[in-house]
Amino acid sequence: MPVERHGRLGAMVGAMAVGIGTMMFTPAATAAVPGTETLCTIRDQRLAELSGLAADQDHWYAVNDGGTRIEVFVLGHDCRVQRVITDPTDPFDVEDMARAADGTLWLSDTGDNDKRRETIALHAVSPEGGATLYRLTYPDGQHDAEALLLDRAGTPHVITKHVLGKAEVYRPSGELASPGPTKLEHVGSLRIEGTDTPGGPVGAMGSTLVTGAAASVDGTVYALRTYTDAYLYPAPDGDVLAALRREPLRIPLPEQRQGEAIAFDPEGSLLSASEGVGQPVQAVSGASALVTARDADPGAAGTAGTAAAAPAAEAEAAEQDPDAEEGLPTLPAVAVALAVALALVFGIDKLRRR
């Protein structure tokens, strides 16, 4: 979503929030990223608000978070749009995309900055065109969510975005119904710690905001991203919740203007992209293999210039009371000031869809 700036007051409050955020969070060491390269640059004006990315052997699939109908752009590996998959359904705010094993593209219509949606939605888009709508309801009020994970069985997991770094995980409580709504159940929580990786539109706190997710083609690695970093979780059994309880491998991403999109290609490289015309698609070659190598030799994590493993995210057990705060850090007084600053920042400089 494009960031709207509103004069001197917004800039002052933004600077204050960045400073306080730096004091609150202990920066993690930034490691060199092996095999990072820019593949090409997206120059098509129609993809100015790219928020979701998926890949198969021959193509990339990209989606905006705006528009009045479903549009999935099919790109070649040169970043040029080859065709557009469309459906007349008018989405509210698509924030991520995942590709199922059968080629279906699942659009995560889950954005809700103002916390006012009665339902969120998933759109199952056929590569040949046409879409099926599935409405969903949270069990505990409205949330803003920008990340979608599909497990091996095709079960969707919606992951929320929160300014203080706590992200909630939800999945359908039963079989999806069209148009629904189907009730979601809360199955876990994540804490994302701040890092010193540069990037994103909102300064230091951008490193704690979950803006996208992806699964490797074989479903053995899951990835979450913030504006600045990617966290790769080993999933040898394909279980999303079990994976999110493990220590992730943190990969600092190349600096991006407003990075929200992430995907694995079939070879296991991690693709990332940003909103804005003229932004590149970048790749961390063999990213999924880095997780396998780390688990095979735990002592090698974070050495020899590779991506550093960091306990930057923590998953809570699914059976835990979703309202419990066990395991959360005790926030110092400065965090109260940060919360006030963030409220002003997001009141003045909202990330809006339209």
Side-chain angles (χ1 to χ4, degrees), residues 323-349:
D323 296 323
E325 295 299 323
E326 181 180 353
L328 290 177
T330 301
L331 298 181
V334 70
V336 177
L338 173 62
V340 174
L342 293 181
L344 290 172
V345 169
F346 279 81
I348 296 170
D349 296 334

Side-chain angles (χ1 to χ4, degrees), residues 180-259:
T182 300
K183 292 182 179 179
L184 292 168
E185 59 179 349
H186 179 271
V187 292
S189 299
L190 290 164
R191 277 205 314 278
I192 307 296
E193 296 178 358
T195 74
D196 59 359
T197 308
V202 288
M205 63 184 171
S207 66
T208 70
L209 304 175
V210 177
T211 63
S216 63
V217 171
D218 62 3
T220 62
V221 179
Y222 296 116
L224 301 181
R225 75 160 296 168
T226 65
Y227 284 121
T228 59
D229 299 88
Y231 296 91
L232 275 57
Y233 298 83
D237 57 359
D239 187 324
V240 170
L241 298 181
L244 295 179
R245 295 186 192 110
R246 299 186 178 104
E247 181 182 45
L249 182 72
R250 181 177 68 87
I251 297 180
L253 296 172
E255 185 169 359
Q256 295 177 336
R257 173 179 168 182
Q258 191 167 332

Side-chain angles (χ1 to χ4, degrees), residues 243-335:
L244 295 179
R245 295 186 192 110
R246 299 186 178 104
E247 181 182 45
L249 182 72
R250 181 177 68 87
I251 297 180
L253 296 172
E255 185 169 359
Q256 295 177 336
R257 173 179 168 182
Q258 191 167 332
E260 298 186 7
I262 194 170
F264 283 100
D265 71 12
E267 285 71 43
S269 293
L270 190 68
L271 309 177
S272 62
S274 171
E275 288 197 8
V277 176
Q279 297 298 305
V281 174
Q282 294 167 308
V284 179
S285 299
S288 62
L290 294 176
V291 180
T292 304
R294 184 202 66 171
D295 288 355
D297 183 9
T303 64
T306 61
E314 176 185 345
E316 298 173 353
E319 63 270 18
Q320 182 176 341
D321 180 354
D323 296 323
E325 295 299 323
E326 181 180 353
L328 290 177
T330 301
L331 298 181
V334 70

Side-chain angles (χ1 to χ4, degrees), residues 13-152:
V13 174
M16 180 175 65
V18 170
I20 295 175
T22 301
M23 290 186 287
M24 177 181 175
F25 301 115
T26 302
T30 301
V33 180
T36 302
E37 61 178 324
T38 295
L39 302 180
C40 54
T41 300
I42 298 177
R43 304 190 185 281
D44 196 302
Q45 298 287 332
R46 293 172 293 177
L47 279 168
E49 296 184 30
L50 192 156
S51 62
L53 194 66
D56 62 20
Q57 191 65 47
D58 301 314
H59 304 97
W60 300 329
Y61 302 88
V63 65
N64 285 311
D65 66 4
T68 56
R69 65 173 183 169
I70 288 175
E71 293 183 318
V72 177
F73 295 82
V74 183
L75 283 67
H77 292 172
D78 58 359
C79 284
R80 295 185 179 182
V81 175
Q82 296 181 348
R83 65 188 180 95
V84 183
I85 303 169
T86 64
D87 184 87
T89 302
D90 182 5
F92 184 84
D93 190 359
V94 174
E95 289 290 356
D96 204 4
M97 176 167 54
R99 183 177 181 273
D102 64 359
T104 300
L105 298 165
W106 287 82
L107 275 56
S108 184
D109 186 359
T110 55
D112 190 13
N113 285 301
D114 296 328
K115 310 293 193 303
R116 60 186 177 88
R117 297 180 64 173
E118 294 184 2
T119 63
I120 58 173
L122 299 175
H123 305 273
V125 181
S126 167
E128 290 74 37
T132 302
L133 168 67
Y134 299 95
R135 298 193 184 280
L136 305 165
T137 57
Y138 290 110
D140 52 3
Q142 288 82 5
H143 300 277
D144 185 29
E146 295 194 6
L148 175 69
L149 275 177
L150 291 183
D151 66 14
R152 289 181 187 175

